[in-house]
Amino acid sequence: MVPRYTRPAMLAIWAPENRYRIWFEIEALACEAMAELGEIPKDSARTIREKGDAAMAAFSQADLDRIDAIEAETRHDVIAFLTWLAEKIGPDSRFVHLGMTSSDVLDTCLSVQLTQATDLLLADLDTVLAALKKQAFEHKYTLTIGRSHGIHAEPTSFGLKMAGHYAEFDRNKKRLETARAEIATCAISGAVGTFAHLDPRVEAYVSDKLGLKPEPVSTQVIPRDRHAAYFCALAVIASGIERLATEVRHLQRSEVREAEEFFHKGQKGSSAMPHKRNPVLSENLTGLARLVRAAVIPALENVALWHERDISHSSVERNICPDATIGLDFALARLAGMMDKLMVYPDQMAANIESLGGVVHSGEVLLALARAGVLREDAYRIVQRCAMETWTKLGKPGFKTFRENLDADPEIAGRIAPEVLDAAMDSRSHLKAVDDRYKLIFGETGPKA
């Protein structure tokens, strides 16, 4: 991922220095386990740990260059690292990687990196949830127009809209927790995964120390269905980001202007038009969501490897693992900031509710007529006639509001009391279930009207 969309903590997880530290940790833990089992001298395991820790603590660009130089000759990344490590440790390095294969190191390391990345993403989700909860409770009773097909439907609560997104991101957090548990596996099983040269207790020891679980059957690699499920979870989260970003983009449109992104002092929206205040953050989030979702198909195609292993997945994962997690980390942080500072305009929301002359109350009027004894089919015909008279003449000569058309309609006169119509056209009636929904989503109802 390009630096523009990269945050330092996530970048550090995918840096070569972190990868090599994890590789060494896997090798050192395996040596410690073998020493406890009497398979290698304990003094050798101690030396490997002490000299290796010192080498990793002093790790510098010169060490990176040395490993790269060795790999340029060997054409094998793990062998290059092990050769460099042997130079630091000395004769006891003969016990490093004993009975292991490269995938034991590579796949277990990837599991560690993905769990580290996931922990950052889970923290990011918490900040998004906090921002959404803040908006949901602040605007619990802020009336706004609900839309279906992009067209005004019936009034709703802006807070309830935010609560709906909160509920989605809460589900996404649970999905990510599940994905983390599934990806947190360790394989120290040797060539083709048969433990022919390793005691399974070595794998169990390394797993425990790294906070992972042993892979039941690793062949020579950890099965990639785990990784595919992981990237699918990231993609669902990205889609949730885009859904919310799309909502903000629409609300900020000049014709709507019910909410907008915070406009910073000194910010400029256009090089040509000084008046512009564009939804650049939400548009950016829409694009980033596409990038994260782009990892799904390659991850799914990585599942079908040849026999016990091949490396067709390797080049894919070297790209999608850092890019998808770095991109999602940035997107979640941007989304949290955008929603925390979102500018909300209740007066404009109220004006938009009535901007079509009251026709958005047609559903409640329909029900009121039905309750008054009018057949539903007749009630629908009457209400639609009055609503369309308002709709088609909106802003034109002869325009009358929906209520005026209802009052003048001969099929309504005397069949429904004015106060019943008043109640049917009161937007606040659409808030009566808000407490119930808040209790369901948040476990609390929050402020009262």
Side-chain angles (χ1 to χ4, degrees):
M1 183 63 69
V2 297
R4 186 182 185 94
Y5 304 124
T6 302
R7 300 209 302 161
M10 186 65 83
L11 177 63
I13 290 172
W14 301 107
E17 296 87 345
N18 188 51
R19 181 172 72 250
Y20 291 139
R21 287 189 189 97
I22 298 169
W23 285 10
F24 168 69
E25 189 64 22
I26 293 166
E27 297 285 5
L29 289 172
C31 288
E32 290 170 2
M34 286 186 273
E36 289 297 320
L37 294 170
E39 295 178 358
I40 68 172
K42 289 186 176 181
D43 286 346
S44 295
R46 190 176 303 112
T47 298
I48 291 166
R49 168 60 74 182
E50 291 173 354
K51 290 189 175 181
D53 277 343
M56 296 313 304
F59 199 85
S60 67
Q61 185 61 48
D63 296 296
L64 283 174
D65 293 341
R66 174 59 181 152
I67 295 171
D68 289 344
I70 299 170
E71 185 178 354
E73 179 182 349
T74 62
R75 306 299 177 92
H76 197 291
D77 53 356
V78 175
I79 291 175
F81 173 75
L82 293 174
T83 302
W84 170 85
L85 188 61
E87 294 173 351
K88 301 294 183 180
I89 292 174
D92 285 313
S93 64
R94 67 188 186 276
F95 297 115
V96 175
H97 207 68
L98 199 65
M100 295 168 62
T101 189
S102 297
S103 292
D104 292 334
V105 178
L106 293 170
D107 277 14
T108 301
C109 174
L110 182 58
S111 294
V112 173
Q113 287 177 296
L114 286 174
T115 55
Q116 290 175 342
T118 306
D119 288 341
L120 290 182
L121 294 175
L122 288 168
D124 292 340
L125 282 168
D126 283 338
T127 63
V128 170
L129 288 167
L132 289 172
K133 184 175 182 178
K134 169 190 167 185
Q135 295 289 357
F137 278 77
E138 183 174 344
H139 295 286
K140 180 180 177 182
Y141 298 111
T142 298
L143 283 162
T144 190
I145 189 63
R147 298 172 174 89
S148 56
H149 305 276
I151 306 300
H152 285 202
E154 291 188 348
T156 185
S157 153
F158 184 73
L160 189 61
K161 285 163 72 79
M162 294 297 100
H165 288 285
Y166 177 97
E168 179 177 355
F169 278 98
D170 188 49
R171 293 192 297 273
N172 282 333
K173 183 179 179 182
K174 293 179 175 65
R175 291 182 181 113
L176 190 57
E177 289 169 341
T178 299
R180 186 194 188 283
E182 187 168 8
I183 206 68
T185 57
C186 171
I188 309 291
S189 55
V192 302
T194 61
F195 295 95
H197 314 294
L198 283 163
D199 189 311
R201 287 176 290 180
V202 174
E203 182 184 67
Y205 179 88
V206 176
S207 297
D208 181 65
K209 293 296 183 179
L210 293 177
L212 306 175
K213 293 182 179 179
E215 178 61 47
V217 179
S218 58
T219 64
Q220 191 171 326
V221 294
I222 293 173
R224 259 45 194 181
D225 64 291
R226 294 181 180 275
H227 303 74
Y230 180 83
F231 286 102
C232 285
L234 298 193
V236 173
I237 296 170
S239 293
I241 291 173
E242 184 173 8
R243 187 172 86 89
L244 181 50
T246 299
E247 178 73 17
V248 173
R249 291 172 69 186
H250 170 73
L251 295 179
Q252 189 163 336
R253 290 171 56 212
S254 303
E255 297 84 356
V256 180
R257 207 166 175 269
E258 293 178 0
E260 66 176 340
E261 298 171 8
F262 182 79
F263 200 76
H264 294 269
K265 183 179 180 180
Q267 183 176 342
K268 293 177 173 59
S270 168
S271 63
M273 297 165 283
H275 73 279
K276 294 296 291 297
R277 292 164 68 104
N278 301 327
V280 293
L281 300 181
S282 48
E283 290 173 342
N284 173 253
L285 290 172
T286 298
L288 289 172
R290 295 170 186 167
L291 288 176
V292 175
R293 287 196 300 267
V296 170
I297 297 301
L300 290 170
E301 292 177 343
N302 278 352
V303 175
L305 302 178
W306 284 21
H307 306 298
E308 277 59 55
R309 78 161 295 200
D310 65 51
I311 63 164
S312 61
H313 65 286
S314 177
S315 57
V316 175
E317 290 170 355
R318 288 175 190 265
N319 283 277
I320 66 173
C321 291
D323 281 0
T325 54
I326 288 172
L328 188 59
D329 171 58
F330 183 91
L332 287 169
R334 171 153 287 185
L335 180 67
M338 182 180 80
M339 296 312 298
D340 183 64
K341 295 181 178 180
L342 187 72
M343 308 295 291
V344 180
Y345 303 122
D347 289 345
Q348 184 63 35
M349 291 178 177
N352 283 347
I353 290 174
E354 300 302 331
S355 63
L356 298 181
V359 298
V360 296
H361 304 294
S362 68
E364 193 66 26
V365 173
L366 168 66
L367 295 176
L369 286 173
R371 294 188 189 104
V374 180
L375 290 176
R376 192 182 191 283
E377 292 78 4
D378 290 338
Y380 193 101
R381 174 179 53 79
I382 296 166
V383 172
Q384 186 181 44
R385 181 177 65 223
C386 293
M388 290 304 101
E389 181 68 15
T390 295
W391 182 285
T392 57
K393 291 185 178 179
L394 192 68
K396 300 176 182 177
F399 166 78
K400 292 182 180 179
T401 67
F402 181 48
R403 178 59 185 272
E404 289 172 335
N405 286 326
L406 289 171
D407 289 340
D409 194 284
E411 290 192 78
I412 294 179
R415 304 179 76 172
I416 186 168
E419 59 269 22
V420 174
L421 276 181
D422 290 340
M425 300 187 71
D426 186 347
S427 296
R428 291 172 296 179
S429 66
H430 295 272
L431 299 175
K432 60 186 178 184
V434 168
D435 278 351
D436 176 75
R437 295 299 93 184
Y438 271 54
K439 183 71 173 178
L440 189 63
I441 295 169
F442 301 108
E444 55 180 312
T445 59
K448 300 294 182 181

